[in-house]
Amino acid sequence: METVHSLNAVRMGIDTHQEPVVYMRQDCHVCKAEGFNASSRVLVTHGSHMLVATLNVVEQHVLPPGSVGLSNIAALRLRAEQGDALCIAHAPILQSMSAVRKKVFGHALSSSEMRDIVVDIAAHRYSDIEIASFLSVCAGSRLNLDEITSLTQAMVACGKRLSWAGERQIYDKHCIGGIPGNRTTPIVVSIASAAGLTLPKTSSRAITSPAGTADTMEVLTNVDLRLEEIQRVVAQTGACLAWGGAVNLSPADDLLIRIERALDLDGEGQLIASVLSKKIAAGSTHVVIDIPVGDTAKVRNRQQADRLAALFTEVGEACGIYVRCVITDGSRPIGHGIGPLEEARDLLAVLQCQADAPRDLRHRSLLLASHLLDLAQNCGLEAALLQATEILESGRAWGQFKMIVAAQGGMRELPVAPYQHQQNSSRHGVLSSIDNRRLARLAKLAGAPQDKAAGLRLHVEVGDRIVIGQPLFTLYSDSQGEQEYALEYYRENRDVFCIEEPL
């Protein structure tokens, strides 16, 4: 029978983000008795609470004898206070890791194998390294249709699900990302819900971009809504604009996204499962998916877009949700602002029908809203576009947005970035292209999306004639160090703005 040892808890005050870590002295009798080493996986129990954690070994002076240190997340999950007795044992063997190794060698996973992996990830039994290995092999060798379907269904099964009494059709919209500034969702939700559609919109934070919809909406209002709060807001307004991670709709996906963000990785199969699992869990029956295509977008060409659209549609059908994919232009950034605050300024300008509102953001929002209206009314895209345009230009969309924001806690005061730098052009000619990926990188180095006011505002558009000394963009940062870091990157990557001199 396995020996269980007891040690006293010491809260170390160390932030290890979402990976629980415990600390033992190098001379600890438990380490010696059980053969634990640095990076060993251990099972820690405190009453009815337990977790699997990664062990770090420290020198004797760091901890008193007979104690075990806890990182912040470990203490939180164990509900452990200073001096509480904790039981320490070997972590159970993860049988599902054999399925991950099977995938490493190129074999397809069965639905039960995929389910076991997702269940263990959702239960926090995988270390960050083990999650990274799963994500990497899925991205590298690609999941087939059955595997993506199994992953989607497993992720839905691990979380909570919303239901909407009396509502037969629930709508949603999602963009797969990769285009800086493409903040259409709040505008589309406002137009479509003003037309009477029900849209319980839960959005993610940024994975590889300078801002996600949740990051941008958090500048304007509260997005950390509980399930009952989402239901209340939707009952009042017909829609919401909430952060999905706050409501545990697909907890495994939230854990995977955290590692994807660190790896700057967004594999095809995981992307589809991530999007659809949250739509299904939110109770959606009809979804419009925006797939931007461009040389520096997430999807590079029409062939890849068609493949992704087919997979979204087929996986959706297998999971009981209707998916319509809209392939759009991803050759350039959308709007003027990049980063949570600056993208919020753009969407407000469109909703308020300001004269200087970004035309491309307005056009794309109307296009996607018309697809939702056509799904609901079967009226044809031309009639749906006319309806969406009328709702926006009449002010009904702006009124609807204000109602949603009020129901979620009210409008917040916009932050101000303490450091601002205007970058002027050192060349003249025609701006032939803007590199989406490097533009996003520039905004992230400035501090977005962690710093809500960080990012940049474009002063030029593709096709503009540029003269020397003309402002290209203004960079916003919360610290001088981040500003200098971002500007150094720009100096090494000036061709993010491709300015071709006239012949």
Side-chain angles (χ1 to χ4, degrees):
M1 184 173 179
E2 184 179 356
T3 303
V4 178
H5 303 272
S6 179
L7 295 171
N8 296 325
V10 174
R11 298 186 65 145
M12 302 289 285
I14 298 175
D15 183 0
T16 57
H17 199 42
Q18 292 297 309
E19 180 167 26
V21 176
V22 299
Y23 306 84
M24 294 187 199
R25 292 163 52 119
Q26 58 192 190
D27 65 345
C28 178
H29 67 281
V30 177
C31 287
K32 291 182 176 180
E34 299 300 330
F36 291 150
N37 298 302
S39 298
S40 291
R41 299 286 283 169
V42 297
L43 178 66
V44 188
T45 307
H46 177 231
S48 61
H49 302 286
M50 63 175 60
L51 62 78
V52 175
T54 299
L55 172 65
N56 282 359
V57 177
V58 300
E59 296 179 357
Q60 284 92 320
H61 68 274
V62 177
L63 286 169
S67 63
V68 56
L70 303 176
S71 69
N72 292 347
I73 190 65
L76 178 66
R77 289 187 187 156
L78 286 169
R79 306 291 192 270
E81 298 298 334
Q82 203 82 355
D84 287 351
L86 307 180
C87 296
I88 314 293
H90 282 277
I93 296 173
L94 272 177
Q95 301 294 344
S96 65
M97 275 303 297
S98 63
V100 175
R101 287 188 287 273
K102 174 182 173 181
K103 189 65 183 171
V104 168
F105 290 101
H107 303 291
L109 299 181
S110 67
S111 59
S112 61
E113 289 170 328
M114 191 68 81
R115 181 186 64 245
D116 290 345
I117 292 171
V118 172
V119 166
D120 281 340
I121 289 173
H124 302 282
R125 299 186 187 116
Y126 273 44
S127 67
D128 284 1
I129 291 175
E130 289 164 335
I131 295 175
S133 67
F134 172 66
L135 288 171
S136 298
V137 71
C138 289
S141 61
R142 276 191 176 178
L143 302 178
N144 63 34
L145 176 61
D146 290 339
E147 288 176 307
I148 300 172
T149 302
S150 297
L151 178 58
T152 305
Q153 293 170 335
M155 289 164 68
V156 172
C158 280
K160 298 178 180 177
R161 294 188 68 168
L162 286 168
S163 59
W164 305 96
E167 296 285 351
R168 290 192 304 166
Q169 294 186 342
I170 304 296
Y171 296 88
D172 208 332
K173 171 266 172 193
H174 184 85
C175 176
I176 68 164
I179 306 300
N182 193 18
R183 202 54 51 221
T184 58
T185 292
I187 303 168
V188 172
V189 168
S190 300
I191 293 172
S193 59
L197 278 63
T198 302
L199 291 101
K201 178 62 183 163
T202 60
S203 300
S204 64
R205 299 189 187 278
I207 300 176
T208 59
S209 69
T213 296
D215 300 305
T216 299
M217 283 303 303
E218 193 170 43
V219 173
L220 301 172
T221 191
N222 175 39
V223 296
D224 293 347
L225 304 183
R226 299 188 301 274
L227 283 175
E228 58 271 21
E229 291 175 319
I230 286 178
Q231 291 170 320
R232 173 186 57 79
V233 172
V234 174
Q236 289 178 5
T237 70
C240 70
L241 288 158
W243 173 46
V247 291
N248 211 34
L249 292 179
S250 183
D253 184 47
D254 296 324
L255 295 170
L256 295 175
I257 283 175
R258 179 173 61 86
I259 305 301
E260 285 181 304
R261 186 178 294 116
L263 296 174
D264 198 20
L265 180 70
D266 201 3
E268 174 188 85
Q270 171 58 27
L271 166 67
I272 295 168
S274 173
V275 172
L276 293 185
S277 67
K278 289 197 168 169
K279 305 310 174 193
I280 295 166
S284 299
T285 58
H286 295 71
V287 179
V288 168
I289 306 289
D290 177 14
I291 304 178
V293 180
D295 290 342
T296 58
K298 187 176 293 184
V299 178
R300 302 297 181 89
N301 54 57
R302 183 61 189 241
Q303 182 180 6
Q304 292 178 356
D306 288 340
R307 170 186 163 79
L308 192 60
L311 284 171
F312 261 117
T313 303
E314 292 177 77
V315 173
E317 184 178 2
C319 295
I321 184 170
Y322 182 86
V323 178
R324 177 188 289 187
C325 292
V326 183
I327 297 174
T328 58
D329 178 15
S331 63
R332 63 190 70 182
I334 302 297
H336 304 147
I338 315 296
L341 172 61
E342 295 307 311
E343 293 179 32
R345 294 187 191 280
D346 279 357
L347 73 88
L348 291 177
V350 172
L351 284 168
Q352 294 169 358
C353 297
Q354 296 176 11
D356 60 349
R359 292 165 297 177
D360 51 1
L361 180 61
R362 180 182 187 275
H363 172 77
R364 186 173 298 232
S365 299
L366 287 171
L367 171 67
L368 296 170
S370 68
H371 276 278
L372 278 174
L373 295 177
D374 179 46
L375 276 181
Q377 303 168 4
N378 194 27
C379 57
L381 283 176
E382 185 175 349
L385 181 59
L386 288 173
Q387 183 183 1
T389 303
E390 187 280 325
I391 291 172
L392 179 64
E393 292 181 347
S394 68
R396 289 169 58 197
W398 171 232
Q400 177 68 7
F401 181 80
K402 289 191 290 184
M403 284 178 55
I404 295 169
V405 167
Q408 291 187 197
M411 190 76 79
R412 290 174 170 169
E413 184 177 348
L414 299 183
V416 176
Y419 292 89
Q420 303 180 15
H421 171 84
Q422 180 177 287
Q423 182 63 49
N424 299 328
S425 176
S426 60
R427 300 182 61 188
H428 74 281
V430 176
L431 180 59
S432 60
S433 66
I434 300 176
D435 188 309
N436 286 314
R437 291 174 181 267
R438 286 191 285 177
L439 188 71
R441 178 70 172 159
L442 179 62
K444 289 194 288 184
L445 290 175
Q450 289 78 16
D451 301 329
K452 292 293 185 286
L456 58 90
R457 176 153 290 270
L458 296 170
H459 302 307
V460 293
E461 298 179 1
V462 172
D464 286 354
R465 289 192 171 274
I466 308 298
V467 297
I468 293 174
Q470 179 176 343
L472 295 177
F473 63 89
T474 299
L475 188 76
Y476 300 96
S477 305
D478 270 12
S479 71
Q480 187 171 359
E482 287 172 316
Q483 181 186 84
E484 292 174 352
Y485 196 25
L487 289 175
E488 178 62 27
Y489 176 81
Y490 171 73
R491 285 190 285 269
E492 296 173 354
N493 294 269
R494 290 182 183 274
D495 57 344
V496 61
F497 295 88
C498 184
I499 300 173
E500 297 183 347
E501 297 184 9
L503 298 176

